[in-house]
């Protein structure tokens, strides 16, 4: 009887240990899955925010065990497998074959997926490396969705490239913009004419589609300056009641929540 008790206890301990291992693994991988990661460093070199006008990224689909990525040109994808001790392996699948001006990051990503076998996640940074103690082959940062912060109406209080002071440029009326994030649309007033159009938001990347506007004649060049700058915008940062629109690393427009 004692022998059977020992066997029962041993099996129970093994099951509990197995559950604990699965739970720990789940906690580790939950920080990795179902999120979009922006490539910021490859082979020790900084990767631009956009390559060929697109953000280089990696996503991991937990349900289907597949990954998708881009180096700023073609879509790259395939299957991946997570292993114990933060191990990972990637297998290539089908991808598009478009030629782009800059293929260096894409080619580097293809090599990365052949070589990387270990991942680490620390706060909002993920690294892929070869070996537990090897130097990082690539680093990614989490793309945080800020689109909900855009909802509502904003009033402009700064714009780039104004030949005269802001208050003189918009002496009679300041431009406004209203975001309908769910419908991916915007509308507002350029300080003279009303406008409307589409907006594309991906993390903190943003771009505006062609704007339609009324055709009233406007004094000064405030409207021209407004539309010129909103076409430049590539990203945004929303903090409390202030919305900053950016081109690369240059602030082109700043808004206050109404």
């Amino acid at each position: 009887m004692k022998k059977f008790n020992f066997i029962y206890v041993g099996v129970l301990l093994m099951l509990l240990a197995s559950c604990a291992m699965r739970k720990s693994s789940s906690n580790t991988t939950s920080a990795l899955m179902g999120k979009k990661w922006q490539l910021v460093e490859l082979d020790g070199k900084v990767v631009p925010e956009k390559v060929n006008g697109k953000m280089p990224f990696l996503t991991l689909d937990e349900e289907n065990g597949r990954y998708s990525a881009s180096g700023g040109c073609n879509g790259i994808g395939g299957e991946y497998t997570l292993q114990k001790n933060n191990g990972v392996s990637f297998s290539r699948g089908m991808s598009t074959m478009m030629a782009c001006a800059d293929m260096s990051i894409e080619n580097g990503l293809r090599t990365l997926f052949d070589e990387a076998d270990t991942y680490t996640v620390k706060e909002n940074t993920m690294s892929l490396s070869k070996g537990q103690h090897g130097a990082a082959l690539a680093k990614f940062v989490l793309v945080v969705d800020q689109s909900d912060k855009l909802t509502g109406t904003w009033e402009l209080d700064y714009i780039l490239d104004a030949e005269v002071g802001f208050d003189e440029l918009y002496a009679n009326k300041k431009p406004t913009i209203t975001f309908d994030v769910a419908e991916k649309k915007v509308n507002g007033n350029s300080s003279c004419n009303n406008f409307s159009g589409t907006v594309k938001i991906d993390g903190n990347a943003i771009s505006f589609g062609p704007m339609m506007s009324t055709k009233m004649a406007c004094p000064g060049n405030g409207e021209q300056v407004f539309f010129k700058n909103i076409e430049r915008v590539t990203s945004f940062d929303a903090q409390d009641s202030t919305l900053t629109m950016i081109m690369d690393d240059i602030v082109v427009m700043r808004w206050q929540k109404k």
Side-chain angles (χ1 to χ4, degrees):
M1 179 65 70
K2 289 183 179 180
K3 182 177 180 181
F4 286 113
N5 285 340
F6 282 130
I7 293 174
Y8 174 79
V9 171
V11 171
L12 180 61
L13 290 174
M14 289 175 63
L15 289 172
L16 289 173
S18 175
C19 289
M21 288 176 65
R22 285 198 298 270
K23 183 176 181 181
S24 174
S25 175
S26 176
N27 289 340
T28 301
T29 58
S30 64
L32 186 69
M33 304 295 190
K35 300 173 182 178
K36 190 169 189 176
W37 298 91
Q38 179 183 351
L39 179 66
V40 294
E41 184 179 306
L42 186 62
D43 291 331
K45 298 178 181 178
V46 175
V47 174
E49 182 179 349
K50 289 194 174 182
V51 178
N52 302 312
K54 300 177 182 179
M55 180 181 71
F57 72 89
L58 168 66
T59 61
L60 300 173
D61 182 343
E62 182 175 14
E63 183 177 354
N64 298 308
R66 299 189 63 83
Y67 71 93
S68 61
S70 172
C73 186
N74 292 286
I76 305 170
E79 296 182 345
Y80 73 93
T81 304
L82 297 183
Q83 300 151 355
K84 63 180 181 179
N85 298 322
N86 284 33
V88 64
S89 61
F90 298 91
S91 61
R92 290 195 198 181
M94 299 288 290
S95 69
T96 55
M97 300 297 290
M98 183 170 58
C100 297
D102 185 352
M103 302 289 289
S104 60
I105 303 301
E106 178 173 318
N107 293 334
L109 274 180
R110 294 182 187 278
T111 301
L112 170 71
F113 295 133
D114 288 339
E115 296 182 353
D117 59 14
T118 305
Y119 74 91
T120 58
V121 179
K122 185 176 182 181
E123 296 180 349
N124 290 333
T125 301
M126 175 180 65
S127 300
L128 294 177
S129 58
K130 184 173 180 62
Q132 287 284 341
H133 305 291
L137 300 175
K139 291 183 180 180
F140 301 79
V141 294
L142 181 65
V143 177
V144 180
D145 183 9
Q146 295 192 58
S147 60
D148 60 324
K149 296 182 180 180
L150 292 172
T151 301
T153 300
W154 304 81
E155 184 176 74
L156 190 69
D157 75 349
Y158 168 82
I159 195 162
L160 182 67
D161 283 352
E163 295 180 0
V164 298
F166 180 86
D167 291 336
E168 183 179 348
L169 190 67
Y170 300 114
N172 297 321
K173 189 175 185 179
K174 295 179 181 179
T176 60
I177 189 168
T178 300
F179 287 85
D180 185 340
V181 174
E183 296 295 327
K184 300 179 181 178
K185 294 180 179 180
V186 293
N187 65 79
N189 186 279
S190 65
S191 75
C192 178
N193 284 287
N194 294 325
F195 69 85
S196 63
T198 58
V199 61
K200 183 179 180 181
I201 305 165
D202 187 1
N204 72 330
I206 188 170
S207 60
F208 296 91
M211 298 291 185
M212 297 180 294
S213 71
T214 55
K215 300 298 183 181
M216 185 170 62
C218 307
N221 66 339
E223 182 170 78
Q224 290 85 350
V225 173
F226 174 82
F227 282 122
K228 180 178 73 173
N229 277 285
I230 204 165
E231 291 176 357
R232 293 172 161 178
V233 173
T234 58
S235 63
F236 74 94
D237 180 62
Q239 299 292 337
D240 300 324
S241 60
T242 300
L243 169 61
T244 305
M245 293 185 179
I246 304 162
M247 174 186 65
D248 298 328
D249 59 350
I250 301 171
V251 174
V252 294
M253 307 176 89
R254 188 178 63 234
W255 309 76
Q256 299 300 323
K257 193 71 172 282
K258 292 194 69 177

